[in-house]
């Protein structure tokens, strides 16, 4: 899930306003955009790359020319089309499908994740701002192109939120701490890539020396990642948003039975602290906490 | 969106799951008439969405029809857990032999539907967790243990539900299964393909309702520092930072996602809150562009010309244009979020205490 400049990236929904705006920025940054998808504009060129009717057609075309496959596909697609577009990307052989779409029905997300798992693909998202490898490439809608925000380095960031992830990069860059990767896992309760999945990837990544987990109240993603944090030899710092927010409402008795005491700020902070992470009160304390952990 | 018990039972009954005979009423006279038609003992149940209804006195079993009228007189117009009672379900009382529990929800860790079943049911179910059988429903293929469970699991998928809970599922003395109470929560995101009932939302104030109509989610918190930020994560973090700095946020209002173009009405809403003495704008643009959001904020600020201090922190997509817009109306954005938060807190407390820490924080970190 750490994207480099050699990964071949397809943009589903490339011709729309947001697809166009962000594809231009991805291209300028060094992301290898090899084509786009829009069934109504198939056969045309957009931003210097060919537009296909589907991801599967794009993959077939690339196979016939021998230029390579589709490594990554990114979706600028509305909620009603997200599931079909994801299944198309999986069928095209994309190893990574970045689903930026917000408001994907959760039953569709579950079906998408099941399809990806069966095919050996990975979904990032839905409702993610994407992934950034500073100095190399980015996929999604993160301000990677601004070197006051993202700078190359050796700290990996995992974030459920695009805006809070951006803030984290700003704070690290201002303190002279560069980043190896930003992995936006998305803000939905069910995600193709969890905090634990992203942590495992950064833990195994040679270019990453330390990891920042940027979480939020709700769900069990941070608690579930704590076991991996405890086993890791890399320093971990964390900020969990929502200490001052009223707790979310439980879903009937079932929600209380399943979640128990998890999901709260206190629960997440305790789980990560016990696992050896430094959990800070406000985001601007992250650089000092990292410096201290790195020694 | 949470359904009321009546709406939930209608969906269950349509799938052949037995529910007690009953009628939805909104007046005392209709409650009396419904009870007279049903005959014998009836349950009068407030149709509110919040939990703990039974414990709060929202369900009474009475002798029809005058008992029902009296219960209706007491419940209609009252509040249960802050929710006004405007509808009652008048239902034939059931002769219960035993109670069990059945629910399906999304397990956030497994990312799959989770089936919960128990031989015991009722309002104390949460303290009987060892008696609850848990089954993750795998992708593609699941053999339900009985017909009723199969119907509920199918309905869970067909309805785009987030939760279906029957508690208690009663066995009557005559040996029939009846869903005595039901909770259903539907996925608002599936509205494009579902004929879901209208969502009343969970707004509790006039401003929150107005925000919801505009497609914005506002939660009023009663503090004196109005907050405008983009994205739920950054907005929560901004509130946390205000509290950590000794301040009190007035609201949660985020304009992330597609709502980033609604900065003008969002600004008008937060400024209309009573008791606000300081405004903090914190933008970190990714998809939501700082220039677009700031243009909206500046427009509202200029039109309303409020007489309170404002602090800006702006970073991310479109930040340079956004900062120029702020300077054009005579304000200097803070270099950091820390600087903006401290200034906003100092300005708010400074309004109350003239010798407050305003100077300390106005150094523009």
């Amino acid at each position: 899930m750490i994207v480099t400049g050699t990964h071949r990236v397809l943009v589903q929904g490339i011709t729309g306003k947001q697809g166009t705006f962000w594809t231009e920025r991805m291209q300028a940054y060094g992301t290898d955009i090899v084509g786009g998808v829009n069934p109504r504009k198939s056969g045309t060129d957009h931003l210097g790359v060919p537009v296909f009717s589907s991801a599967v057609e794009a993959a077939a075309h690339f196979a016939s020319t021998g230029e390579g496959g589709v490594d990554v596909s990114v979706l600028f697609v509305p909620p009603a089309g997200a599931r079909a577009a994801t299944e198309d990307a999986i069928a095209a052989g994309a190893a990574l499908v970045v689903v930026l779409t917000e408001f994907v029905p959760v039953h569709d997300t579950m079906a998408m994740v099941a399809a990806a798992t069966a095919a050996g693909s990975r979904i990032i998202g839905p409702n993610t701002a994407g992934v950034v490898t500073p100095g190399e490439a980015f996929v999604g809608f993160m301000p990677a192109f601004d070197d006051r925000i993202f700078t190359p380095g050796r700290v990996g960031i995992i974030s459920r939120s695009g805006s809070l992830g951006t803030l984290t990069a700003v704070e690290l860059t201002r303190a002279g701490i560069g980043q190896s990767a930003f992995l936006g896992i998305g803000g939905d309760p069910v995600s193709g890539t969890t905090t634990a999945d992203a942590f495992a990837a950064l833990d195994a990544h040679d270019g990453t020396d330390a990891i920042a987990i940027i979480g939020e109240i709700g769900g069990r993603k941070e608690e579930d990642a704590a076991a991996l944090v405890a086993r890791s030899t890399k320093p971990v710092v964390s900020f969990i948003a929502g200490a001052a927010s009223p707790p979310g409402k439980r879903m009937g008795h079932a929600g209380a039975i399943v979640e128990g005491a998890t999901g709260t700020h206190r629960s997440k902070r305790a789980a990560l602290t016990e696992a050896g992470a430094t959990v800070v009160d406000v985001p601007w304390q992250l650089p000092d906490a990292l410096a201290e952990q790195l020694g | 969106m949470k359904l009321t018990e009546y709406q939930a039972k209608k969906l269950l009954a349509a799938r052949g799951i037995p529910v007690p005979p009953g009628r939805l009423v909104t007046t005392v006279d209709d409650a009396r008439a419904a009870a007279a038609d049903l005959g014998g003992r009836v349950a009068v149940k407030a149709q509110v969405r919040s939990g703990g209804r039974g414990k709060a006195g929202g369900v009474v079993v009475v002798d029809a029809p005058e008992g029902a009228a009296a219960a209706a007189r007491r419940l209609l117009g009252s509040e249960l857990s802050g929710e006004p009672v405007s509808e009652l379900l008048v239902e034939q009382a059931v002769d219960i032999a035993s109670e069990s529990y059945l629910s399906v929800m999304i397990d956030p860790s497994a990312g799959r539907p989770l089936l919960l079943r128990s031989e015991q049911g009722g309002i104390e179910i949460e303290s009987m967790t060892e008696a609850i059988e848990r089954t993750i429903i795998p992708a593609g293929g699941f053999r339900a243990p009985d017909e009723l469970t199969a119907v509920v699991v199918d309905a869970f998928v067909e309805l785009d539900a987030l939760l279906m809970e029957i508690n208690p599922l009663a066995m009557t003395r005559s040996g029939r299964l009846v869903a005595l109470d039901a909770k259903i929560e539907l996925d608002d995101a599936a509205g494009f393909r579902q004929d879901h009932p209208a969502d009343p939302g969970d707004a509790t104030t006039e401003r929150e309702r107005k925000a919801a109509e505009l497609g914005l989610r506002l939660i009023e918190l009663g503090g004196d520092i109005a907050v405008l930020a983009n994205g739920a994560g950054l907005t929560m973090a901004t509130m946390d930072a205000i509290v950590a700095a000794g301040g009190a946020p007035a609201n949660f209002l985020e304009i992330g996602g597609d709502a980033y173009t609604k900065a003008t009405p969002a600004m008008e809403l937060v400024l209309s809150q009573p008791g606000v003495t300081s405004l903090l704008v914190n933008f970190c643009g990714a998809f939501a562009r700082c220039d677009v959001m700031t243009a909206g904020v500046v427009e509202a600020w200029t039109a309303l010309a409020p007489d309170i201090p404002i602090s800006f922190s702006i970073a991310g997509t479109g930040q340079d244009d956004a900062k120029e817009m702020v300077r054009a109306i005579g304000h200097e954005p803070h270099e950091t979020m820390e600087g903006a938060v401290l200034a906003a807190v100092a300005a708010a407390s400074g309004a109350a205490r003239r010798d407050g820490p305003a100077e300390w924080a106005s150094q523009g970190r």
Side-chain angles (χ1 to χ4, degrees):
Chain A
M1 66 187 90
I2 296 166
V3 176
T4 70
T6 62
H7 285 116
R8 294 169 50 81
V9 179
L10 185 71
V11 181
Q12 293 173 265
I14 192 171
T15 58
K17 187 179 158 208
Q18 297 295 349
T20 300
F21 181 91
W22 288 99
T23 300
E24 282 179 332
R25 276 151 189 80
M26 287 189 272
Q27 287 174 320
Y29 196 63
T31 308
D32 185 14
I33 306 290
V34 294
V37 174
N38 177 342
R40 288 181 304 281
K41 302 208 172 148
S42 172
T44 65
D45 276 1
H46 187 69
L47 306 176
V49 297
V51 178
F52 302 93
S53 65
S54 68
V56 167
E57 193 206 33
H61 170 81
F62 298 142
S64 72
T65 60
E67 59 188 289
V70 172
D71 300 316
V72 180
S73 194
V74 55
L75 270 62
F76 289 87
V77 171
R83 178 177 171 178
T86 299
E87 287 169 352
D88 180 27
I90 293 167
L96 188 67
V97 186
V98 180
V99 183
L100 304 172
T101 316
E102 191 181 6
F103 304 120
V104 176
V106 68
H107 285 272
D108 283 2
T109 300
M110 291 191 291
M112 286 150 57
V113 173
T117 305
S121 298
R122 169 172 292 285
I123 290 172
I124 291 204
N127 190 17
T128 173
V131 295
V132 182
T133 308
E136 277 262 346
F138 84 97
V139 175
F141 32 61
M142 289 295 289
F145 42 81
D146 190 327
D147 64 11
R148 292 165 297 180
I149 299 170
F150 284 98
T151 45
R154 303 191 61 85
V155 174
I157 303 173
I158 302 164
S159 179
R160 283 162 70 173
S161 153
S163 54
L164 203 42
T166 302
L167 175 71
T168 304
V170 167
E171 296 289 346
L172 296 186
T173 291
R174 186 177 288 129
I177 301 171
Q179 308 90 41
S180 55
F182 168 86
L183 303 177
I185 62 167
D188 284 2
V190 177
S191 317
T193 297
T194 63
T195 304
D197 296 335
F199 187 89
L202 291 175
D203 201 25
H205 182 230
D206 287 339
T208 297
D209 291 343
I211 299 166
I213 298 177
I214 310 303
E216 293 170 20
I217 54 169
R220 284 204 307 245
K221 288 194 171 83
E222 293 80 7
E223 287 93 333
D224 289 343
L228 294 185
V229 173
R231 283 202 296 274
S232 171
T233 56
K234 295 184 181 179
V236 178
V237 297
S238 176
F239 170 72
I240 308 291
S245 298
K249 289 184 181 134
R250 301 269 189 203
M251 298 180 67
H253 294 291
I257 291 164
V258 170
E259 289 163 28
T262 63
T264 62
H265 186 267
R266 179 191 296 261
S267 155
K268 290 173 191 298
R269 186 169 187 140
L272 290 171
T273 304
E274 274 166 37
T278 303
V279 184
V280 299
D281 296 326
V282 287
W284 58 77
Q285 293 168 340
L286 287 166
D288 282 351
L290 263 175
E292 205 165 286
Q293 283 255 15
L294 287 165
Chain B
M1 173 196 16
K2 287 178 180 161
L3 301 187
T4 62
E5 176 194 8
Y6 175 75
Q7 291 171 322
K9 283 180 168 171
K10 220 167 126 182
L11 291 177
L12 295 180
R15 284 163 175 76
I17 297 174
V19 300
R23 198 187 298 169
L24 188 71
V25 301
T26 56
T27 66
V28 173
D29 286 346
D30 285 353
R32 184 189 291 111
D37 288 352
L38 291 164
R41 282 177 75 73
V42 295
V44 179
K45 308 168 92 177
Q47 296 301 287
V48 292
R49 292 168 175 80
S50 39
R53 175 185 64 165
K55 287 178 181 170
V59 178
V60 282
V61 180
V62 295
D63 287 316
E66 281 314 313
R73 202 171 291 121
R74 185 173 63 78
L75 284 170
L76 284 171
S78 71
E79 280 195 359
L80 287 177
S81 312
E83 202 180 328
V85 178
S86 60
E87 296 177 331
L88 302 173
L89 176 59
V90 181
E91 240 178 28
Q92 207 166 66
V94 173
D95 197 8
I96 303 166
S98 65
E99 296 184 333
S100 59
Y101 175 90
L102 173 67
S103 72
V104 193
M105 68 174 289
I106 311 269
D107 182 297
S109 288
R112 294 299 312 165
L114 172 68
L115 174 66
L116 299 175
R117 298 168 78 231
S118 173
E119 299 283 316
Q120 295 162 293
I123 55 175
E124 300 301 334
I125 185 72
E126 285 171 35
S127 59
M128 304 188 285
T129 48
E130 68 290 338
I132 300 166
E133 176 194 307
R134 302 167 182 232
T135 313
I136 295 283
I137 299 177
F142 167 71
R143 184 180 293 272
D146 56 61
E147 180 58 26
L148 186 118
T149 304
V151 171
V152 170
V153 169
D154 285 349
F156 183 73
V157 178
E158 280 166 27
L159 291 167
D160 272 302
L162 302 175
L163 169 74
M164 293 186 73
E165 184 171 73
I166 303 177
N167 183 41
L169 176 61
M171 179 66 78
T172 66
R173 294 200 191 279
S174 52
R176 284 183 72 231
L177 273 177
V178 180
L180 273 201
D181 194 4
K183 280 195 174 67
I184 293 182
E185 191 163 344
L186 301 173
D187 187 355
D188 295 331
F192 65 83
R193 64 179 173 217
Q194 294 282 359
D195 186 20
H196 287 165
D199 185 0
D202 56 2
T204 56
T205 70
E206 200 44 51
R207 255 180 301 275
E208 289 179 4
R209 265 185 284 280
K210 203 172 158 196
E213 278 167 24
L214 291 161
L216 296 165
R217 184 163 162 75
L218 170 70
I219 302 171
E220 296 194 70
L221 301 168
D224 58 355
I225 303 171
V227 180
L228 196 56
N230 65 291
L234 183 66
T235 306
M236 283 195 284
T238 307
M239 290 160 50
D240 296 345
I242 288 172
V243 171
N251 64 276
F252 172 97
L253 175 69
E254 57 116 347
I255 51 171
D258 290 329
Y260 80 87
T261 55
K262 298 178 184 171
T264 302
M267 183 82 164
E268 290 167 1
L269 275 168
V270 297
L271 284 176
S272 73
Q273 298 175 114
V276 167
T277 59
S278 175
L279 173 63
L280 173 59
V281 177
N282 188 15
F283 290 154
C284 241
F287 173 73
R289 288 165 49 182
C290 290
D291 50 338
V292 176
M293 294 188 287
T294 303
V297 163
V298 164
E299 187 187 319
W301 183 262
T302 309
L304 298 171
D307 187 23
I308 59 168
I310 183 168
S311 310
F312 287 93
S313 169
I314 296 171
T317 312
Q319 64 175 0
D320 296 318
D321 288 347
K323 285 179 177 176
E324 278 313 310
M325 292 175 207
V326 171
R327 289 185 187 113
I329 57 165
H331 292 274
E332 181 61 32
H334 287 263
E335 279 298 309
T336 65
M337 172 175 162
E338 179 182 14
V341 168
L342 295 180
V345 171
S349 51
R353 291 180 289 121
R354 284 192 183 278
D355 303 324
E359 277 178 51
W360 152 73
S362 62
Q363 310 299 320
R365 275 197 68 166

